[in-house]
Amino acid sequence: MPMIDIYATPRSFTDTHQLATDAAATVMRVEQVPDIRDCPKFS
């Protein structure tokens, strides 16, 4: 899993958890990672 570094001025993002979730989802979409929820092994 790649490390995601996001640089911004203080208080640029009010919800850092949502920022991390969105950044990870973007990387996974670009890298074409399959959705683990679609795998019966992890259901």
Side-chain angles (χ1 to χ4, degrees):
M1 178 58 77
M3 184 64 95
I4 303 169
D5 292 327
I6 299 174
Y7 297 93
T9 58
R11 295 180 297 281
S12 292
F13 301 98
T14 56
D15 187 350
T16 56
H17 177 66
Q18 188 62 50
L19 173 64
T21 301
D22 292 345
T26 299
V27 170
M28 291 174 70
R29 186 178 69 249
V30 169
E31 294 292 330
Q32 298 179 347
V33 175
D35 190 345
I36 196 170
R37 294 172 294 186
D38 294 337
C39 181
K41 184 176 181 177
F42 297 104
S43 295

